[in-house]
């Protein structure tokens, strides 16, 4: 027998189901919540999201999401503007900032090279990166250690080295708290290759 | 070190985090998606949800969510309007309809009695239920077998029996496909008590 649902429920659930990682069940649960919430609350929700989207800009320097012309990190004179950390997405900036291990600036590519999904250099913020390297000491490639992350790092490092700028890559090895027993072969190989004297 | 996030991202993530079952990480993920989506798509999302909420009405008979004065089930003359199945929420109507085992009509309480959360009979659609029992043969209590579901079923059945209407309760027992080994004690006890001749 077909699913019985009323029209307002179907409409709301369909909208939620468009979001990534939200399946049919979760979408229905959220739709029920929205239909039972006071109308002002739903208005606030809808307008808040729309406002956020409309106020969104990309920093003219590092291409990170912000609501001004230049983001807080790029405007911060206490940071080292000669070291640029290249990341895939704004999420990665949050992650590295949370770690507290970096005081340079960032460059957000907004994606990785992926011929399979027809994402080439033109689709990424590579032109903007190359344009800001004149006074740079080091570029840290902080893309994920996946096939696409590696390919993007290799592609960019070749271009950047031609400008005489030092290029580094995040270290490979065992994650903190990991158990040797469960580490995969590639990670173990790399941890051995890159072993340090203690 | 504090989380670094730009204002549009924080605004959007805060809105998503208000939804039930959406934690901080998921809210941020959805916020990133929204900020990267085309503006028209975000407008469509926001207006779709708001439209659903605004068009939402409760059926004047069964109190289920619909967008007309009387829902499809209550308007369906092929259904048995003398048997009313009392459920907690519109979700339960969908679940029972999906099972295909019921051709009567519903009554949605929009909650369960819960003195702990100060939900008394006035907060539920009980008045509306009592008002439609004049031509009813049977009321099926289909609230969940939880403390609150049981309490609500007991409370309602006392009131309804006084009107001379038959009141029944969903059967207790083992769920289909269950393994005896893992059934809890209460379920097993009830399955034994309510055993049927085969």
């Amino acid at each position: 027998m077909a699913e019985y649902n009323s029209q307002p429920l179907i409409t709301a659930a369909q909208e939620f189901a468009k979001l990534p990682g939200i399946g049919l069940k979760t979408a229905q649960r959220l739709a029920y919540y929205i239909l039972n919430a006071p109308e002002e609350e739903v208005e606030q929700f809808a307008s808040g999201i729309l406002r956020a989207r409309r106020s969104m800009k990309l920093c003219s320097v590092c291409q990170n999401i912000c609501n001004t012309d230049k983001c807080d990190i790029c405007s911060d004179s206490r940071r080292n503007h000669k070291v640029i950390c290249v990341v895939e997405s704004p999420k990665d900036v949050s992650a590295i900032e949370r770690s507290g291990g970096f005081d340079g600036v960032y460059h957000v590519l907004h994606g990785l090279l992926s011929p399979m999904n027809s994402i080439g250099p033109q689709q990424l913020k590579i032109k903007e990166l190359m344009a800001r390297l004149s006074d740079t000491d080091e570029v840290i490639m902080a893309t994920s250690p996946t096939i696409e992350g590696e390919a993007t790092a290799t592609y960019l490092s070749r271009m950047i080295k031609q400008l005489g700028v030092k290029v580094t890559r995040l270290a490979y090895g065992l994650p903190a708290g990991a158990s040797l027993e469960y580490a995969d072969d590639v990670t173990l190989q790399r941890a051995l290759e890159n072993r340090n004297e203690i």
Side-chain angles (χ1 to χ4, degrees), chain A residues 67-95:
Chain A
N67 55 353
T68 47
D69 183 53
K70 204 169 166 184
C71 78
D72 293 349
I73 292 179
C74 289
S75 312
D76 190 341
S77 60
R78 288 164 304 175
R79 299 189 72 120
N80 182 354
H81 289 255
K82 297 196 166 203
V83 179
I84 299 177
C85 180
V86 176
V87 295
E88 176 187 350
S89 83
K91 281 187 240 195
D92 303 324
V93 174
S94 306

CSV table of all heavy atoms in Angstrom, one decimal, chain A residues 67-95:
chain,number,residue,atom,x,y,z
A,67,ASN,N,31.7,37.5,5.4
A,67,ASN,CA,30.7,38.5,5.0
A,67,ASN,C,31.2,39.9,4.8
A,67,ASN,O,30.5,40.8,4.8
A,67,ASN,CB,29.5,38.5,6.0
A,67,ASN,CG,30.0,38.8,7.4
A,67,ASN,OD1,31.2,38.8,7.6
A,67,ASN,ND2,29.0,39.0,8.3
A,68,THR,N,32.5,40.0,4.6
A,68,THR,CA,33.2,41.2,4.3
A,68,THR,C,34.1,41.0,3.1
A,68,THR,O,34.1,39.9,2.5
A,68,THR,CB,34.0,41.7,5.5
A,68,THR,OG1,34.8,40.6,5.9
A,68,THR,CG2,33.2,42.2,6.6
A,69,ASP,N,34.8,42.0,2.7
A,69,ASP,CA,35.6,41.9,1.5
A,69,ASP,C,36.9,41.1,1.8
A,69,ASP,O,37.4,40.4,1.0
A,69,ASP,CB,36.0,43.3,1.0
A,69,ASP,CG,36.9,43.2,-0.3
A,69,ASP,OD1,36.4,42.5,-1.2
A,69,ASP,OD2,38.0,43.7,-0.3
A,70,LYS,N,37.3,41.2,3.1
A,70,LYS,CA,38.6,40.5,3.5
A,70,LYS,C,38.3,39.8,4.8
A,70,LYS,O,37.8,40.4,5.7
A,70,LYS,CB,39.7,41.5,3.7
A,70,LYS,CG,41.1,41.0,3.5
A,70,LYS,CD,42.0,42.2,3.5
A,70,LYS,CE,43.5,41.7,3.6
A,70,LYS,NZ,44.4,42.9,3.7
A,71,CYS,N,38.6,38.5,4.9
A,71,CYS,CA,38.2,37.7,6.1
A,71,CYS,C,39.1,38.1,7.3
A,71,CYS,O,40.1,38.8,7.2
A,71,CYS,CB,38.3,36.3,5.8
A,71,CYS,SG,40.0,35.6,5.9
A,72,ASP,N,38.7,37.7,8.5
A,72,ASP,CA,39.3,38.0,9.7
A,72,ASP,C,40.8,37.5,9.7
A,72,ASP,O,41.7,38.2,10.3
A,72,ASP,CB,38.6,37.4,10.9
A,72,ASP,CG,37.3,38.0,11.1
A,72,ASP,OD1,37.0,39.1,10.5
A,72,ASP,OD2,36.5,37.5,12.0
A,73,ILE,N,41.0,36.4,9.2
A,73,ILE,CA,42.4,35.8,9.2
A,73,ILE,C,43.3,36.7,8.3
A,73,ILE,O,44.4,37.0,8.7
A,73,ILE,CB,42.4,34.3,8.8
A,73,ILE,CG1,41.7,33.5,9.9
A,73,ILE,CG2,43.8,33.8,8.6
A,73,ILE,CD1,41.6,32.0,9.6
A,74,CYS,N,42.8,37.0,7.1
A,74,CYS,CA,43.6,37.8,6.2
A,74,CYS,C,43.8,39.2,6.7
A,74,CYS,O,44.8,39.8,6.3
A,74,CYS,CB,43.0,37.8,4.8
A,74,CYS,SG,43.1,36.2,3.9
A,75,SER,N,42.9,39.7,7.5
A,75,SER,CA,43.0,41.0,8.1
A,75,SER,C,43.9,41.1,9.3
A,75,SER,O,44.2,42.2,9.8
A,75,SER,CB,41.7,41.6,8.4
A,75,SER,OG,40.7,41.4,7.4
A,76,ASP,N,44.3,39.9,9.8
A,76,ASP,CA,45.0,39.9,11.1
A,76,ASP,C,46.5,40.1,10.9
A,76,ASP,O,47.2,39.3,10.3
A,76,ASP,CB,44.7,38.5,11.8
A,76,ASP,CG,45.2,38.4,13.2
A,76,ASP,OD1,46.0,39.3,13.6
A,76,ASP,OD2,44.7,37.5,13.9
A,77,SER,N,47.0,41.2,11.4
A,77,SER,CA,48.4,41.6,11.1
A,77,SER,C,49.3,40.7,12.0
A,77,SER,O,50.6,40.7,11.7
A,77,SER,CB,48.6,43.1,11.4
A,77,SER,OG,48.3,43.3,12.8
A,78,ARG,N,48.8,40.1,13.0
A,78,ARG,CA,49.7,39.2,13.9
A,78,ARG,C,50.0,37.9,13.2
A,78,ARG,O,50.9,37.2,13.7
A,78,ARG,CB,49.0,39.0,15.2
A,78,ARG,CG,49.0,40.2,16.1
A,78,ARG,CD,48.0,40.0,17.3
A,78,ARG,NE,46.7,39.7,16.7
A,78,ARG,CZ,45.6,39.3,17.4
A,78,ARG,NH1,45.7,39.2,18.7
A,78,ARG,NH2,44.5,39.1,16.9
A,79,ARG,N,49.3,37.6,12.2
A,79,ARG,CA,49.6,36.3,11.5
A,79,ARG,C,50.7,36.4,10.5
A,79,ARG,O,50.9,37.5,9.9
A,79,ARG,CB,48.3,35.7,10.9
A,79,ARG,CG,47.2,35.5,11.9
A,79,ARG,CD,46.0,34.8,11.3
A,79,ARG,NE,46.3,33.4,11.1
A,79,ARG,CZ,45.7,32.4,11.7
A,79,ARG,NH1,44.7,32.6,12.5
A,79,ARG,NH2,46.0,31.1,11.4
A,80,ASN,N,51.3,35.3,10.2
A,80,ASN,CA,52.4,35.3,9.2
A,80,ASN,C,51.9,35.2,7.8
A,80,ASN,O,51.4,34.1,7.4
A,80,ASN,CB,53.3,34.1,9.5
A,80,ASN,CG,54.5,34.0,8.6
A,80,ASN,OD1,54.6,34.8,7.7
A,80,ASN,ND2,55.4,33.1,8.9
A,81,HIS,N,51.8,36.3,7.1
A,81,HIS,CA,51.2,36.3,5.7
A,81,HIS,C,52.2,35.7,4.7
A,81,HIS,O,51.8,35.7,3.5
A,81,HIS,CB,50.8,37.7,5.4
A,81,HIS,CG,49.6,38.2,6.2
A,81,HIS,ND1,48.4,38.2,5.7
A,81,HIS,CD2,49.5,38.5,7.5
A,81,HIS,CE1,47.5,38.6,6.6
A,81,HIS,NE2,48.2,38.8,7.7
A,82,LYS,N,53.4,35.3,5.1
A,82,LYS,CA,54.3,34.7,4.1
A,82,LYS,C,54.2,33.2,4.0
A,82,LYS,O,54.9,32.6,3.2
A,82,LYS,CB,55.7,35.1,4.5
A,82,LYS,CG,55.9,36.6,4.5
A,82,LYS,CD,57.4,37.0,4.4
A,82,LYS,CE,57.6,38.4,4.1
A,82,LYS,NZ,58.9,38.7,3.5
A,83,VAL,N,53.4,32.6,4.9
A,83,VAL,CA,53.1,31.2,4.8
A,83,VAL,C,51.7,30.9,4.5
A,83,VAL,O,50.8,31.4,5.2
A,83,VAL,CB,53.5,30.5,6.1
A,83,VAL,CG1,53.2,29.0,6.0
A,83,VAL,CG2,55.0,30.7,6.5
A,84,ILE,N,51.4,30.3,3.4
A,84,ILE,CA,50.0,30.0,2.9
A,84,ILE,C,49.7,28.6,3.0
A,84,ILE,O,50.4,27.7,2.4
A,84,ILE,CB,49.8,30.6,1.5
A,84,ILE,CG1,50.1,32.1,1.4
A,84,ILE,CG2,48.4,30.3,1.0
A,84,ILE,CD1,50.0,32.6,0.0
A,85,CYS,N,48.6,28.2,3.7
A,85,CYS,CA,48.2,26.8,3.8
A,85,CYS,C,47.0,26.6,2.8
A,85,CYS,O,46.0,27.3,2.9
A,85,CYS,CB,47.7,26.6,5.2
A,85,CYS,SG,47.2,24.9,5.5
A,86,VAL,N,47.2,25.8,1.8
A,86,VAL,CA,46.2,25.5,0.8
A,86,VAL,C,45.3,24.4,1.2
A,86,VAL,O,45.8,23.3,1.4
A,86,VAL,CB,46.9,25.2,-0.6
A,86,VAL,CG1,45.9,24.9,-1.6
A,86,VAL,CG2,47.8,26.4,-1.0
A,87,VAL,N,44.0,24.7,1.3
A,87,VAL,CA,43.0,23.6,1.7
A,87,VAL,C,41.9,23.5,0.7
A,87,VAL,O,41.7,24.4,-0.2
A,87,VAL,CB,42.4,24.0,3.1
A,87,VAL,CG1,43.5,23.9,4.2
A,87,VAL,CG2,41.7,25.3,3.1
A,88,GLU,N,41.2,22.4,0.8
A,88,GLU,CA,40.1,22.1,-0.1
A,88,GLU,C,38.9,23.0,0.1
A,88,GLU,O,38.3,23.6,-0.8
A,88,GLU,CB,39.7,20.7,0.0
A,88,GLU,CG,38.5,20.3,-0.9
A,88,GLU,CD,38.0,18.9,-0.6
A,88,GLU,OE1,38.7,18.1,0.1
A,88,GLU,OE2,36.9,18.6,-1.1
A,89,SER,N,38.5,23.2,1.4
A,89,SER,CA,37.2,23.8,1.7
A,89,SER,C,37.3,24.6,3.0
A,89,SER,O,38.2,24.4,3.8
A,89,SER,CB,36.1,22.8,1.8
A,89,SER,OG,36.1,22.2,3.1
A,90,PRO,N,36.4,25.5,3.2
A,90,PRO,CA,36.3,26.3,4.5
A,90,PRO,C,36.3,25.4,5.7
A,90,PRO,O,36.9,25.8,6.8
A,90,PRO,CB,35.0,27.1,4.4
A,90,PRO,CG,34.8,27.2,2.9
A,90,PRO,CD,35.3,25.9,2.3
A,91,LYS,N,35.8,24.2,5.6
A,91,LYS,CA,35.8,23.3,6.8
A,91,LYS,C,37.2,23.0,7.2
A,91,LYS,O,37.4,22.8,8.4
A,91,LYS,CB,35.1,22.0,6.3
A,91,LYS,CG,33.6,22.0,6.3
A,91,LYS,CD,33.1,20.6,6.0
A,91,LYS,CE,32.3,20.6,4.7
A,91,LYS,NZ,31.5,19.4,4.6
A,92,ASP,N,38.1,22.9,6.3
A,92,ASP,CA,39.5,22.5,6.6
A,92,ASP,C,40.1,23.7,7.3
A,92,ASP,O,41.0,23.5,8.2
A,92,ASP,CB,40.2,22.2,5.3
A,92,ASP,CG,39.5,21.0,4.6
A,92,ASP,OD1,39.0,20.2,5.2
A,92,ASP,OD2,39.5,21.1,3.3
A,93,VAL,N,39.7,24.9,7.0
A,93,VAL,CA,40.3,26.1,7.7
A,93,VAL,C,39.8,26.0,9.2
A,93,VAL,O,40.7,26.1,10.1
A,93,VAL,CB,39.8,27.4,7.1
A,93,VAL,CG1,40.2,28.6,7.9
A,93,VAL,CG2,40.3,27.6,5.7
A,94,SER,N,38.6,25.7,9.4
A,94,SER,CA,38.1,25.5,10.8
A,94,SER,C,38.9,24.5,11.5
A,94,SER,O,39.3,24.6,12.7
A,94,SER,CB,36.6,25.1,10.8
A,94,SER,OG,35.8,26.0,10.1
A,95,ALA,N,39.1,23.3,10.8
A,95,ALA,CA,39.8,22.2,11.5
A,95,ALA,C,41.2,22.6,11.9
A,95,ALA,O,41.6,22.3,13.0
A,95,ALA,CB,39.8,21.0,10.6
